[in-house]
Each structure stands twice: as C-alpha cells, then as structure tokens.
Amino acid sequence: MTSPDSDGLLAEQLLRLTRRVHRIQKHHLQQRDLGITPAQSRLLRTLAHYGSPPRMADLAERLEVVPRAVTTLVDGLEANGKVRRVPDPANRRVIRIELTDDGHEALRELHGARRAAAEEILAPLTDEQRGVLGGLLDTLIDGAPVRPC
C-alpha cells in the first residue's frame, strides 16, 4: 500500500513527464518546420481516424473542445493547405473537413516527429525497462477494475 505522500510524488512525476513529452514533441515539430501547432497536429491525427470526412461538430466532440476551437484550428490548417472544407453531399448546409495531399504528407512527418520524441524520452531505458513501462502504462490507460464495496 502506498502512502499519500508517495501518491502525491507519483502524480507530480506523471505531470512532469507529460510536460516533458509535450516540450520534446513541440521541439521535434519545430525542427521539421511544418508550421503546425501541437493542437493542429492533434486535429490532423483525429481526422485521419475517420473513414469519411467528418463534420466540425464531430471533430469538436472527439477532441472534447468547443466547436469554435475547431473552427480556429481548421482555419489555420486550411490556410496552410493541409485540410479543405467540402460540402456534405446529402445536406448542403453541412460542411465536412477532409485532409489534402499536403495534409497526408504532414501526418507522415508528424508521425516521424512523434516517434523521434518517444525515442528521445525512452533512450535511457533498457529493453526490459521499456517492457515493464509499457505494461504499467497499459494498466493506467485501461484503468483498474472497480471492486465492489
């Protein structure tokens, strides 16, 4: 069983690691000179998971942000040629967002930047430590089963 102090320390370590991951990813993005912010890269990655172009409301829901935030991100990505607005074939009042060829290329670059950042972060760990960390992260991501009282 852990003490409240050790739980607090673990929480602080997780927050510090998260900030470090974001800093390193941002650095790798800047090195690739894509002109894409971390928020825009998240939107591009989200777009790539749809089978057909989503509505802005769908993106806002998936990203857990207000629709206005998606509009701002799409405006910037559209200005850079990474996405385009297209009319919905079934409802002309609905606008959908799709990746352009430049957007797909940017996604490949983003993937490379994320992998490079991950390798930089994981570099001090042995293969065995990486395996243990992966198992621990899976447990944290999936969450512990809730025990009845």
Side-chain angles (χ1 to χ4, degrees), residues 72-91:
T72 301
L73 292 172
V74 168
D75 287 346
L77 289 168
E78 188 175 40
N80 287 338
K82 306 293 188 257
V83 301
R84 68 176 144 254
R85 289 173 166 91
V86 295
D88 184 305
N91 183 345

Side-chain angles (χ1 to χ4, degrees), residues 14-60:
L14 284 171
L15 291 172
R16 288 175 50 212
L17 177 60
T18 300
R19 287 190 296 267
R20 183 167 184 246
V21 167
H22 286 288
R23 257 192 334 270
I24 291 171
Q25 284 183 345
K26 186 175 180 181
H27 173 74
H28 282 272
L29 278 176
Q30 290 170 340
Q31 280 185 323
R32 291 172 187 258
D33 198 27
L34 295 173
I36 295 174
T37 67
Q40 288 173 332
S41 74
R42 185 170 173 234
L43 186 137
L44 285 174
R45 290 190 319 272
T46 301
L47 262 175
H49 287 88
Y50 282 92
S52 61
R55 300 172 306 142
M56 291 233 235
D58 299 328
L59 288 169

Side-chain angles (χ1 to χ4, degrees), residues 18-149:
T18 300
R19 287 190 296 267
R20 183 167 184 246
V21 167
H22 286 288
R23 257 192 334 270
I24 291 171
Q25 284 183 345
K26 186 175 180 181
H27 173 74
H28 282 272
L29 278 176
Q30 290 170 340
Q31 280 185 323
R32 291 172 187 258
D33 198 27
L34 295 173
I36 295 174
T37 67
Q40 288 173 332
S41 74
R42 185 170 173 234
L43 186 137
L44 285 174
R45 290 190 319 272
T46 301
L47 262 175
H49 287 88
Y50 282 92
S52 61
R55 300 172 306 142
M56 291 233 235
D58 299 328
L59 288 169
E61 185 178 329
R62 174 88 53 102
L63 294 168
E64 298 178 347
V65 298
V66 296
R68 177 70 191 130
V70 172
T71 300
T72 301
L73 292 172
V74 168
D75 287 346
L77 289 168
E78 188 175 40
N80 287 338
K82 306 293 188 257
V83 301
R84 68 176 144 254
R85 289 173 166 91
V86 295
D88 184 305
N91 183 345
R92 66 184 183 163
R93 292 176 296 166
V94 174
I95 299 297
R96 295 191 174 268
I97 309 303
E98 72 178 5
L99 287 166
T100 62
D101 290 342
D102 282 351
H104 285 287
E105 179 58 33
L107 271 172
R108 285 187 285 279
E109 288 289 325
L110 289 169
H111 181 72
R114 287 170 60 91
R115 285 191 64 84
E119 281 303 315
E120 183 176 332
I121 290 164
L122 297 172
L125 302 179
T126 65
D127 287 344
E128 182 180 340
Q129 289 171 322
R130 287 179 185 211
V132 170
L133 177 61
L136 292 170
L137 290 174
D138 283 342
T139 300
L140 292 174
I141 290 166
D142 296 338
V146 178
R147 294 184 185 152
C149 297

